[in-house]
Amino acid sequence: MILLSDRRISAIPLGDNNEPLVDLRRIDDFRVDDRLADPAGAYAHLREETAARLLAAQRSLPYGLRLLIVEGYRPLTLQTTYFEGYKDELRQRYPQWEPDRLHVEASKYVSPPEVAPHSTGGTVDLTLCTADGDELDLGTAVNDSPVASANACFTGSPDISPEARANRDILGTALSAAGMVNYPTEWWHWSYGDRYWALTTRADSTRYGPVDLT
């Protein structure tokens, strides 16, 4: 498993096609959850092509199911706050860990800011729901940490129910077919055009770099 803290990720050259961010709340086909809403509405934005791929994935889902978007674009300042906060949590829980290990372990849950996928606008956290908006069981809550979930948040975890495994497979099949890639420590985290996508697809560079919503 290659983590976002791996030097192979940071070594991938950054490119950017200057594609605009779009507000998913203005696209009727999307259901956008507001649990991580921010005053500027950053959470509801994604790059145009990423949004198109999500629509393609949603069209391929079994009847009665929809994607539920939880968080897309994340400003770099917020990414840094998340990363340092989780690293502090791990430091308190595991005081014997050296700084290098803290950095690696934190990257299983929050990306280091220097390679932050969400800050490119090409990465999204999402789950499945019914047409009425009821979330399906995918084994853990969206954004459950490895510590809190005993690693059940890992996409391939064996420690989830058959129903949750089937739902993860449905989600993964649809998004993979649409050209998106998963970060394997977070079943809800999918991306297109960022460094992890470039690594997985063997692209020469990213399609998206960090972007400022303003």
Side-chain angles (χ1 to χ4, degrees):
M1 179 188 301
I2 298 177
L3 300 176
L4 284 162
S5 57
D6 195 296
R7 292 180 180 178
R8 284 172 287 184
I9 301 295
S10 57
I12 295 171
L14 279 177
D16 199 304
N17 61 11
N18 296 314
E19 197 175 287
L21 289 163
V22 296
D23 189 339
L24 304 187
R25 296 170 297 181
R26 297 182 179 179
I27 301 174
D28 291 340
D29 289 336
F30 281 128
R31 183 179 287 274
V32 182
D33 187 274
D34 63 0
R35 73 189 73 173
L36 293 177
D38 59 286
Y43 79 105
H45 286 73
L46 283 174
R47 297 277 191 145
E48 193 172 52
E49 178 63 21
T50 305
R53 289 172 183 269
L54 289 184
L55 285 173
Q58 182 162 270
R59 286 194 292 268
S60 73
L61 290 174
Y63 179 77
L65 297 185
R66 295 182 63 182
L67 299 177
L68 180 63
I69 312 300
V70 175
E71 186 178 24
Y73 173 72
R74 184 185 296 157
L76 192 55
T77 52
L78 183 57
Q79 182 70 34
T80 302
T81 298
Y82 282 170
F83 184 73
E84 294 300 329
Y86 186 58
K87 194 158 64 171
D88 285 343
E89 178 184 330
L90 292 177
R91 184 182 293 110
Q92 293 175 19
R93 184 181 288 265
Y94 304 105
Q96 73 276 18
W97 285 1
E98 296 294 328
D100 285 350
R101 182 172 183 185
L102 281 170
H103 189 83
V104 170
E105 295 293 335
S107 76
K108 293 179 180 178
Y109 180 55
V110 186
S111 169
E114 59 269 20
V115 295
H118 279 280
S119 299
T120 69
T123 299
V124 61
D125 294 339
L126 77 178
T127 187
L128 289 173
C129 68
T130 65
D132 294 328
D134 296 325
E135 289 186 46
L136 273 61
D137 176 15
L138 277 88
T140 74
V142 175
N143 288 330
D144 262 0
S145 71
V147 170
S149 70
N151 292 340
C153 61
F154 287 20
T155 307
S157 171
D159 300 319
I160 58 175
S161 70
E163 178 185 4
R165 169 55 51 202
N167 288 334
R168 286 191 190 185
D169 289 346
I170 290 170
L171 183 68
T173 297
L175 291 166
S176 296
M180 301 190 70
V181 302
N182 173 244
Y183 188 46
T185 65
E186 300 177 337
W187 60 261
W188 56 83
H189 178 115
W190 290 81
S191 66
Y192 173 77
D194 67 346
R195 276 180 159 135
Y196 210 84
W197 168 87
L199 176 83
T200 304
T201 62
R202 300 183 179 180
D204 292 335
S205 65
T206 68
R207 295 197 177 188
Y208 307 142
V211 62
D212 187 345
L213 180 62
T214 60

